[in-house]
């Protein structure tokens, strides 16, 4: 049996080393975010994870002590659930951005990627429902929307979640990321889906709907604030009715700050999706801002704290003196 020459052995070793280097370079090249964009993504998701986690845990303890289910309480319970689902996936995103390699298989990548969108639109939906019902109560249509029993609140929430589980989740599972073969070590790169005309039309429809609904919500809230201000005329900050309407602005501000920028940029991104890789990083950054909506529960906790109420009381006294 002929012996293999040392030169052939060295040549095979060199070829295998070259192949490994090529594979590792291809894997790192697939991670298109530069150092700055990666730092922004890690920072935003870390803030959302820390603040959202603290807010969800604290709010859960507050909700346990409550015996009644009002409209706002029901909405907050649903927000705790949907925020918790997103926060469960955030560590996997952070692991990917730090290591620049996906190690949890493609099906789980699709689930983590889809969860950001599910969280965003469910949060938006719960915001809209809460604001609409609060406004109906403000316009003295309270009897038509009040939850007289806990069963009514549970049934209303269950209807939303059943719709999501029956219609939304199956579509995402079977259709999300089917337009091409994707690298198992790379995640959150499903921009090829936007090349389909049906997907483009759906995205444009959602963008227009979110923008129009946001403008309507903001316009109605400003109208109500002006109406309450004219009715009370003086010492606005000392009236509970005015403060209740100001609190509604928290929901609208979250929509404007966290959700609207992503949708406005999305319209541009769809038209130029294949122009340059950096555009994809910008899209991911705007998408990461939607995760900051998890901080809403923390703001609710802080606004209900004694320290916050003391500061508001001091502000009221100063305004009354002036």
């Amino acid at each position: 049996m002929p012996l293999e020459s040392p030169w052939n052995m060295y040549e095979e070793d060199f070829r295998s080393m070259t192949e490994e280097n090529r594979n590792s370079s291809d894997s790192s090249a697939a991670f298109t975010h530069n150092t700055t964009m990666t730092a922004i993504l890690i920072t935003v998701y870390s803030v959302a994870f820390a603040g959202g986690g603290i807010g969800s845990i604290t709010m859960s303890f507050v909700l346990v002590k409550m015996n009644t289910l009002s409209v706002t309480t029901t909405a907050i319970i649903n927000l705790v659930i949907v925020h918790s689902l997103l926060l469960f996936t955030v560590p996997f995103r952070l692991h990917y951005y730090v290591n620049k390699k996906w190690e949890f298989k493609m099906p789980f990548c699709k689930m983590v990627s889809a969860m950001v969108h599910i969280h965003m639109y469910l949060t938006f939906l719960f915001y809209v429902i809460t604001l609409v019902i609060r406004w109906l109560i403000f316009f003295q249509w309270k009897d038509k929307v009040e939850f007289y029993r806990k069963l009514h609140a549970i049934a209303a929430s269950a209807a939303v979640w059943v719709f999501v589980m029956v219609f939304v989740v199956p579509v995402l599972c079977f259709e999300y990321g089917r337009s091409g073969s994707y690298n198992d070590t790379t995640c959150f790169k499903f921009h090829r889906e936007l090349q389909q005309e049906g997907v483009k039309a759906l995205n444009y429809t959602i963008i227009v709907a979110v923008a129009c609904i946001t403008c309507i919500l903001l316009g109605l809230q400003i109208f109500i604030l002006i109406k309450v201000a004219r009715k009370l005329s003086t010492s606005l900050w000392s009236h509970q009715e005015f403060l209740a309407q100001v609190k509604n602005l928290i929901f609208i501000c979250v929509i404007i700050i966290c959700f609207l920028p992503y949708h406005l940029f999305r319209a541009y991104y769809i038209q130029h999706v294949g122009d340059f890789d950096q555009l994809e990083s910008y899209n991911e950054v705007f998408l990461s801002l939607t995760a900051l909506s998890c901080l809403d529960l923390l703001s609710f906790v802080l606004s209900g704290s004694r320290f916050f109420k003391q500061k508001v009381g001091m502000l009221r006294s100063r305004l009354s003196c002036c």
Side-chain angles (χ1 to χ4, degrees):
M1 185 174 181
L3 296 176
E4 188 175 5
S5 65
W7 172 253
N8 291 335
M9 295 176 60
Y10 291 139
E11 186 177 5
E12 289 181 3
D13 291 340
F14 179 76
R15 188 184 298 113
S16 62
M17 291 176 59
T18 305
E19 190 68 24
E20 290 177 359
N21 291 334
R22 185 184 298 113
N23 291 335
S24 62
S25 63
D26 291 342
S27 177
S28 61
F31 188 87
T32 56
H33 307 306
N34 59 30
T35 304
T36 302
M37 293 298 174
T38 303
I40 294 174
L41 290 170
I42 293 175
T43 301
V44 172
Y45 280 112
S46 297
V47 171
F49 183 75
I54 294 173
S56 297
I57 294 172
T58 307
M59 185 58 71
S60 298
F61 284 108
V62 173
L63 293 172
V64 168
K65 298 179 181 179
M66 291 185 176
N67 296 321
T68 59
L69 276 179
S70 64
V71 174
T72 304
T73 305
T74 305
I76 290 177
I77 292 174
N78 285 285
L79 287 175
V80 170
I81 296 173
V82 71
H83 288 344
S84 299
L85 291 175
L86 174 67
L87 294 175
F88 170 77
T89 65
V90 168
F92 299 100
R93 280 185 170 269
L94 293 175
H95 180 275
Y96 173 67
Y97 293 136
V98 171
N99 295 281
K100 301 180 180 180
K101 183 180 180 181
W102 184 256
E103 300 177 353
F104 306 101
K105 302 300 181 182
M106 185 53 60
F108 189 66
C109 166
K110 292 180 181 180
M111 190 199 78
V112 174
S113 180
M115 184 54 64
V116 178
H117 299 277
I118 294 175
H119 166 265
M120 172 173 52
Y121 292 117
L122 274 180
T123 303
F124 182 80
L125 177 63
F126 289 133
Y127 282 177
V128 172
I129 293 174
T130 303
L131 288 171
V132 169
I133 294 178
R134 279 188 163 196
W135 291 338
L136 291 177
I137 295 173
F138 173 79
F139 288 111
Q140 299 180 350
W141 295 338
K142 181 178 180 180
D143 294 337
K144 297 182 181 180
V145 297
E146 186 175 6
F147 291 139
Y148 291 102
R149 298 178 182 177
K150 290 183 178 181
L151 182 61
H152 295 167
I154 296 174
S157 301
V160 175
W161 286 103
V162 168
F163 175 82
V164 172
M165 297 301 297
V166 173
F167 295 100
V168 177
V169 173
V171 171
L172 290 174
C173 290
F174 293 106
E175 298 296 330
Y176 195 63
R178 290 188 58 187
S179 295
S181 58
Y182 296 96
N183 189 352
D184 287 338
T185 61
T186 307
C187 195
F188 316 129
K189 288 175 65 69
F190 301 110
H191 54 278
R192 297 175 190 170
E193 309 297 320
L194 295 175
Q195 297 175 356
Q196 301 182 37
E197 294 301 324
V199 176
K200 284 184 179 181
L202 177 61
N203 275 266
Y204 283 129
T205 302
I206 293 175
I207 291 169
V208 173
V210 170
C212 291
I213 292 173
T214 303
C215 293
I216 293 172
L217 294 176
L218 181 60
L220 283 174
Q221 189 59 60
I222 292 175
F223 169 77
I224 292 175
L225 282 172
I226 294 175
K227 184 175 181 179
V228 173
R230 288 179 177 177
K231 176 183 176 181
L232 302 176
S233 66
T234 58
S235 302
L236 296 178
W237 294 100
S238 61
H239 290 81
Q240 190 65 30
E241 185 178 3
F242 182 78
L243 290 176
Q245 296 303 324
V246 171
K247 289 181 179 180
N248 286 346
L249 286 176
I250 295 179
F251 296 105
I252 300 177
C253 287
V254 172
I255 293 175
I256 294 175
I257 296 173
C258 299
F259 299 157
L260 194 58
Y262 168 73
H263 286 85
L264 296 179
F265 178 79
R266 187 78 169 174
Y268 175 83
Y269 176 67
I270 293 173
Q271 296 178 354
H272 305 275
V273 63
D275 289 358
F276 54 96
D277 292 337
Q278 198 63 26
L279 194 63
E280 184 180 348
S281 297
Y282 296 149
N283 183 69
E284 284 295 315
V285 169
F286 279 106
L287 181 62
S288 68
L289 294 179
T290 65
L292 294 179
S293 61
C294 293
L295 301 178
D296 57 357
L297 296 178
L298 185 60
S299 67
F300 296 151
V301 172
L302 293 177
S303 63
S305 63
R306 293 182 179 179
F307 176 78
F308 180 81
K309 290 180 179 179
Q310 289 176 356
K311 292 297 182 182
V312 172
M314 293 173 59
L315 178 61
R316 289 178 185 172
S317 61
R318 290 178 181 178
L319 291 175
S320 60
C321 293
C322 297

